[in-house]
Amino acid sequence: MCRKTNIAVLISGSGTNLQAIIDACESGKIDGKVVVVGADNNNAKGLDRAKNRGIPTFVIDYSQIIKSFKDNQLPIDFNLKDVLSKQSIFDTESDPEKVKLFMMTRSVAEEKLFNTLSSFDFDLLALAGFMRILTPYFIDKVNKDRMRIINIHPALLPSFPGTDGYGDTFRYGCKVGGCTVHFVDYGEDSGPIIGQKAFEINDCDTLETVKEKGLKLEWELYPHCIQLFEKLYHHR
Ligand code: GAR
């Protein structure tokens, strides 16, 4: 029996990609269903997009958790040595104490994130403008048998990873920009690429028009790649 792919989505902001995913599920472009939407902050406007469609939502307040972090909150199954040996977000030049603190604070938030998501029986976790790095602690818990976390990034990876893909593309003077959907691995925007779309950048373009062109393509690319995932893993 075929069952639709249950999709969990994480956002941080306006959620236009989330909207594109919800619409594609409703129109049948994706054989899937958005079963839950989570955010890392209470002000994420995209939460209303989910609520408007009757999709359950939740917030894990990362800033608050990081601010009030204490050692004794570490998850019981958190293994610092294991996480440090796997992560490739920070290089060997980075301050080891900062890296340690980063992994520990995130694991506290990620335990709550994982526990909340778990009650929704999701097959795929789609990051849609979720502006938090996920650590190996969380990624291993979700992936188990195979990669099941994907992300949309506003640049043609492997160029311009990080938080400002369109800005970095534009300021570098690129004549072509684009967006990428990829699996999430232990690095920053470094996982296997599922799909990309590109657009031309002309002399008359501004950062604003570059973002507009890019977002329009994201809304096509993300549903397309989710449907590819569905076909690959979930069609029975
Ligand atoms: C999108 O451009 C997405 O590619 C980007 O944030 C925006 C979210 O827009 N994601 C990242 O930069 C992740 N590093 P949305 O909230 O309207 O979908």
Side-chain angles (χ1 to χ4, degrees), residues 14-146:
S14 63
T16 63
N17 277 290
L18 164 68
Q19 190 67 57
I21 296 167
I22 295 173
D23 292 347
C25 289
E26 288 183 358
S27 72
K29 277 190 192 146
I30 299 175
D31 298 320
K33 186 179 167 208
V34 178
V35 292
V36 62
V37 174
D40 66 333
N41 72 89
N42 285 299
N43 301 322
K45 292 213 181 69
L47 290 171
D48 289 335
R49 297 177 188 272
K51 286 177 194 157
N52 287 341
R53 300 296 173 100
I55 299 167
T57 63
F58 69 91
V59 174
I60 303 296
D61 190 343
Y62 264 65
S63 300
Q64 188 52 41
I65 291 169
I66 293 165
K67 230 189 298 169
S68 62
F69 169 76
K70 299 210 173 49
D71 274 14
N72 63 9
Q73 298 168 322
L74 283 173
I76 207 159
D77 58 348
F78 176 73
N79 180 334
L80 181 61
K81 216 171 135 195
D82 180 60
V83 167
L84 290 175
S85 71
K86 287 175 175 166
Q87 73 84 23
S88 55
I89 297 154
F90 300 97
D91 60 24
T92 47
E93 311 276 279
S94 307
D95 176 349
E97 287 309 309
K98 277 200 183 140
V99 178
K100 249 170 73 177
L101 189 63
F102 182 94
M103 296 300 159
M104 292 194 298
T105 52
R106 284 353 177 245
S107 77
V108 176
E110 288 176 349
E111 182 185 37
K112 294 182 200 301
L113 187 59
F114 182 77
N115 289 344
T116 310
L117 283 170
S118 292
S119 56
F120 291 92
D121 189 26
F122 63 96
D123 307 298
L124 172 68
L125 176 58
L127 311 183
F130 185 64
M131 303 306 279
R132 299 284 175 180
I133 285 171
L134 297 170
T135 76
Y137 169 70
F138 179 84
I139 294 170
D140 286 353
K141 274 161 115 48
V142 172
N143 282 349
K144 282 180 254 144
D145 52 336
R146 59 175 151 82

Side-chain angles (χ1 to χ4, degrees), residues 17 20 197 215-225:
N17 277 290
K197 271 185 185 280
L215 261 179
K216 264 195 197 152
L217 291 185
E218 290 186 36
W219 303 332
E220 291 170 19
L221 179 68
Y222 216 176
H224 171 71
C225 291

Side-chain angles (χ1 to χ4, degrees), residues 2-17:
C2 275
R3 153 162 102 66
K4 285 188 171 188
T5 301
N6 280 348
I7 307 163
V9 182
L10 294 178
I11 60 168
S12 294
S14 63
T16 63
N17 277 290

